[in-house]
Amino acid sequence: MLPSSWKRDFASGLVVLVPVLATVFVIAYLYDLVFGVITRTGILDNYPTIPTAAYVPLALAFFLLLVLAVGYLMRTTVGDIIERVLDDVFNAIPGLRIVYNASKMAAETAFSGTGDLQSPVKLEVWDGLRMTAFKTGKTTEDGRDVLFLPTSPNITTGFVIEVEPHEYEQTDESVEDALTRVLSAGFGENEPDIPDEMLRN
């Protein structure tokens, strides 16, 4: 049997290395994906003076400019018309409209800058039992607030619920703290307290 101190050190090393390695893997995968798309399309083949190492940075810079341009356009009257046309076109296609609406809602939820979206709340779903939900910034016609109640640890599923404003409790915690608790199934926290006996070992 290994000494308990070795097991503790091994576990502590995994806690540090696993997130780092997972992040590096995702970045490398996305880099290879973007590079593969560029090379297959041959967009930059007509520019032999551009080194292949610059393909991905150029693609990211172009994508960033495209996002900014489209975002600026969508804040105008023309953008509203284009968005309505796109919604009508995709909603007229069976099956594809589900993917379109789900991805649009996910993007709005992830990238919206409204303060209401960044507000975790406590909701009492049964007598004395509270759950963490998130405000979406939307309200119903009868004045109820629309909340998203995620499942744990998979927050991509959950429930969209309509609740009276007095039926949930505002919290002072940040979105990061609330998401950390939900994603870790209640085991994790952003700044965990280290037991005194571990500090003494």
Side-chain angles (χ1 to χ4, degrees), residues 120-133 135 140 142-147 149 161-171:
V121 298
K122 296 291 186 181
L123 179 68
E124 186 171 334
V125 291
W126 292 288
D127 292 338
L129 178 63
R130 297 193 311 177
M131 298 184 71
T132 301
K135 297 180 69 174
T140 61
D142 59 353
R144 295 170 180 255
D145 291 335
V146 180
L147 306 180
L149 182 65
I161 53 181
E162 301 172 2
V163 184
E164 294 284 354
H166 65 274
E167 293 181 346
Y168 62 83
E169 177 185 347
Q170 298 279 358
T171 64

